[in-house]
Amino acid sequence: MTKQEEITRLSKEKGYYVDKKGDVFNKDGKSISLSSNNKGTGYKSFNIRVNGSNPTRSFVHRLQAFQKFGDVIFKEDMVIRHLNGDSLDNSFENIGIGTLSDNMLDIPKEKRVLNASNPKHDHEKIIQDFKNGYTYKEIMEKYDITSKGTVSFIINKSLKIHSGVV
């Protein structure tokens, strides 16, 4: 069982739930405040304690998907999708599951075509922004990059080149 699977299951066991609009409530029906920065992930989350440990982040979209689809979300190669491409919209209708390929198709066609036809970004500026503390999400917004994987590739490729690993 992965850590995220354990946290998602534990969130439900502790009585947390997501309503149709995507708001989170505890077992007493009280609304939970959510964080949406999450170090550049771009996903809303809330904190729970696991066996009295420090708070652990539980992702709202994962809990919504678990409520909607059950254990199937934990299958290998299965990802949780935000069908309208908005990772902050955790409404029941917007959460789906599928392959990574399906997930990429949730990005509007115009943006996918633009990214494919103009794959060159200013890598040096992106790397400098990352070194200056920008999150992946902030870099994605600043440079109009729709894939966290693209930012990761640029940063990690640069780190490998500079460390002599390539």
Side-chain angles (χ1 to χ4, degrees):
M1 179 181 313
T2 67
K3 182 170 175 105
Q4 276 304 310
E5 181 179 344
E6 179 185 353
I7 292 166
T8 301
R9 288 181 185 281
L10 187 62
S11 297
K12 187 172 181 186
E13 287 171 17
K14 287 184 164 230
Y16 292 95
Y17 65 94
V18 185
D19 69 5
K20 298 278 185 190
K21 294 187 308 182
D23 297 321
V24 180
F25 298 87
N26 67 15
K27 65 180 182 199
D28 299 324
K30 293 185 180 177
S31 181
I32 301 296
S33 63
L34 304 174
S35 171
S36 59
N37 183 8
N38 297 315
K39 299 179 181 175
T41 66
Y43 299 116
K44 288 183 179 179
S45 68
F46 58 98
N47 288 323
I48 65 168
R49 290 192 185 273
V50 179
N51 299 328
S53 67
N54 289 333
T56 302
R57 188 178 332 150
S58 181
F59 290 101
V60 178
H61 66 290
R62 295 188 65 75
L63 182 56
Q64 181 74 287
F66 187 49
Q67 292 173 179
K68 186 173 181 179
F69 301 105
D71 287 335
V72 72
I73 73 165
F74 303 122
K75 286 186 176 180
E76 190 174 342
D77 297 328
M78 186 68 57
V79 296
I80 298 165
R81 301 166 57 200
H82 289 86
L83 301 176
N84 68 4
D86 180 358
S87 64
L88 298 177
D89 179 357
N90 295 302
S91 63
F92 188 84
E93 293 79 20
N94 191 44
I95 297 298
I97 56 174
T99 65
L100 190 55
S101 225
D102 296 329
N103 198 34
M104 291 304 293
L105 292 174
D106 294 335
I107 298 170
K109 183 177 181 179
E110 301 77 33
K111 279 197 166 190
R112 288 195 322 267
V113 169
L114 181 63
N115 287 346
S117 64
N118 186 15
K120 296 185 180 184
H121 302 286
D122 190 334
H123 292 203
E124 293 303 319
K125 286 184 180 177
I126 290 171
I127 292 160
Q128 191 58 51
D129 284 346
F130 180 72
K131 288 179 180 176
N132 288 335
Y134 279 64
T135 65
Y136 277 36
K137 184 178 180 186
E138 290 167 335
I139 291 170
M140 289 168 64
E141 289 172 1
K142 181 175 179 178
Y143 296 95
D144 196 28
I145 299 172
T146 58
S147 167
K148 184 178 174 185
T150 299
V151 176
S152 178
F153 176 80
I154 291 168
I155 291 168
N156 290 319
K157 181 180 176 188
S158 169
L159 293 175
K160 286 178 183 175
I161 290 171
H162 287 70
S163 67
V165 174
V166 177

